Amino acid sequence: MTDPRTAYLELLRRSREIALLGSCSAVLSWDQQTFMPPAGTTFRGEQLAFLAGLSHQKATDPLLGELLTIVESSELMADPSSVEAGNIRELRHHYDRAVKLPQRLVEELARVTTLAQQIWQEARATNDFRLFQPHLEQILALKREEADAIGFTDQRYDALLDEYEPGLSTKTLQILFADLTAQLVPLIQRIQDCGRQPRREIFQREFPADRQRWFAESAAAAIGFDFQAGRLDTSTHPFCSGFGPGDCRITTRYNPHCFSEAFFSVLHEAGHGMYEQGLSAEQFGTPSGSYCSLGIHESQSRLWENQVGRSEPFWEHFYPRLQQAFPTALRDVSRQEFYFAINEIRPSYIRVEADEATYNLHIVLRFEVELDLLSGNLAVTDLPAAWNDRFRTMFGMMPTSDREGCLQDVHWSFGGIGYFPTYTLGNLYAAQFMEAAHQALPELNEEFRRGIFSSLKFWLSEKIYRHGRRFRAATLCRDATHQELTAKPFLKYLHGKAASVYNVC
Ligand code: ZN
């Protein structure tokens, strides 16, 4: 088979097969986290392992390499911005990563991280870091091996980051995060010093779960999540899983004594879901029909959760409706008081509970710790003390236990080193996209006040959804916002928030 067109179509066919296997696994995982009875766990593990094995076999088939060689030297690559060239570039990237990893290393990582996740749960529950320590040491050794097998030009971390945020270098990230931290720390300090506090107790009142569900579902539908092509269910940890065209699942959990928990997680997951629903159905299973990067994915959730969902115009529309839905809890709460409460900025120990400003310091801390762990500058045995020291420097508070410190997140136990930065990248991209959207659509806030969100969704679809992975994140961002990714729009947004909520500039 030497005809490049035929080779290209065969590549796409194989890519779709791998994606179909992935989407079957996604259905099984979604079911496991929502409806599966507990006794089904072992058999579900067997089903998922079987599909993962099949998928790995297909992803490393040497014929893929031969097909790629044929298309790479053809006229299909003539225009680097074409769908074809984008698909070929990403399929090569994926294939190279897959074949560079020895089978032994892949299996060893799967074995070690499966056990480590179980041990981490136990270690966190009993606040016993020593239990987790040898497993984290093993994981780091394997991740170093993985980075070396994949290769890098500058820093080892680059090879791991590349899995989640293709094309982004550690160096760029370090500059971006340094800019961010330099302004974020003093801003948070000024907010702390001003002494203003919202009425926190308003969220601890009675918010019946079924009403919360109804309200969150109607807000998700209003911003544009398509319930004909998606569902909202309940799980221990909220997530979004796009199975493929016409079927995207989002989940949340309801705390009857905390309204904000489920509501904002639904907006967040609906943002992820709208991105999945907006990907090209015709290109399903090819890079052009897949999400661009984890940072871009996260930008779509953060944009709806925070940039839109915590804005004044949004609540000018929704607050009267919220008061109607929860008359007892919110009768004596003004919209301004509510707005303050959902926008409180206050340092706390747990990342997933953090506000939109301090959240990023949690990420910067993890990024710096990961760099030091991977390079060996920080020994795993010294991790709890190093974590607490850094935490005190950044947040002015000292964790009282490892459960509140280095044991709080699951990511390292599944080998997700290089993953954390994508959360803050999401915040930065979201602010930059939103700034560009406001410039292009000056009526946006007025529309939000009237409960209309379709212009923004359309803009996102044009600039982001429909391109899938045809372009790398840096190009996508430049095309959509006419500038490279910087921390400036996010910092400007936060300063605006601080001024409106705290009277602090
Ligand atoms: Zn997310």
Side-chain angles (χ1 to χ4, degrees), residues 300-318:
Q300 296 311 294
S301 56
R302 290 302 198 170
L303 186 143
W304 291 104
E305 177 196 358
N306 291 337
Q307 299 276 333
V308 178
R310 289 182 206 270
S311 73
E312 275 185 300
F314 180 89
W315 287 105
E316 279 177 44
H317 173 74
F318 278 107

Side-chain angles (χ1 to χ4, degrees), residues 268-269 272 298 301:
H268 182 101
E269 302 308 334
H272 280 304
E298 190 67 5
S301 56

